[in-house]
Amino acid sequence: MTATQVGGLEVIADEPTPSPIKSRDGAAVLWTQTRTLLLGDGSTVYGCQHCDYTSPNVNAIRPHLQAHNSRRGKKTTTAPTGDLTLAELVARLAELDKVTAALDEWRTRALKAEKALRTLRNLLGDRT
């Protein structure tokens, strides 16, 4: 939903914006929600991935992204699915269900372990 025109000029290229931050291995980190837009006259502006908001200042986009957050800081957008087929999406959903079930099992085990540790500490007189 990025802008297709800015100031009457057509957007001819739309790419993620490189951030000034580098990863630990030195690779570039990309801001995928901040888009670098190349216009028909050769100029560059920056845009929001979620709407047609643009600015010549790259630093203006990140604060604007807050407009797309719902209450409690959750984003209202969904994860990108690319060119996945419906069958691939269903397979990913099934995998997500498996991972969620495994996480629930580990959480239950962790809570039981914490309770057992608390009991042991109480028996030994350690109140930390």
Side-chain angles (χ1 to χ4, degrees), residues 20-56:
I21 302 166
K22 299 289 182 200
S23 69
R24 290 180 192 217
D25 64 358
V29 174
L30 298 176
W31 287 334
T32 57
Q33 295 183 79
T34 300
R35 309 302 294 180
T36 300
L37 307 174
L38 178 62
L39 303 181
D41 68 351
S43 63
T44 300
V45 296
Y46 303 94
C48 174
Q49 175 184 354
H50 308 289
C51 69
D52 61 358
Y53 177 81
T54 61
S55 174

Side-chain angles (χ1 to χ4, degrees), residues 50-113:
H50 308 289
C51 69
D52 61 358
Y53 177 81
T54 61
S55 174
N57 181 355
V58 68
N59 296 320
I61 304 302
R62 289 182 58 105
H64 161 81
L65 291 171
Q66 294 300 315
H68 299 290
N69 290 345
S70 65
R71 60 194 152 118
R72 294 190 199 125
K74 291 187 178 179
K75 292 187 167 74
T76 58
T77 58
T78 58
T81 58
D83 296 328
L84 297 177
T85 66
L86 181 57
E88 291 168 330
L89 288 172
V90 170
R92 283 194 177 186
L93 183 57
E95 185 64 28
L96 177 62
D97 288 342
K98 288 179 187 176
V99 170
T100 302
L103 287 174
D104 289 343
E105 180 182 331
W106 279 103
R107 182 173 190 264
T108 300
R109 290 179 67 183
L111 291 172
K112 285 181 182 178

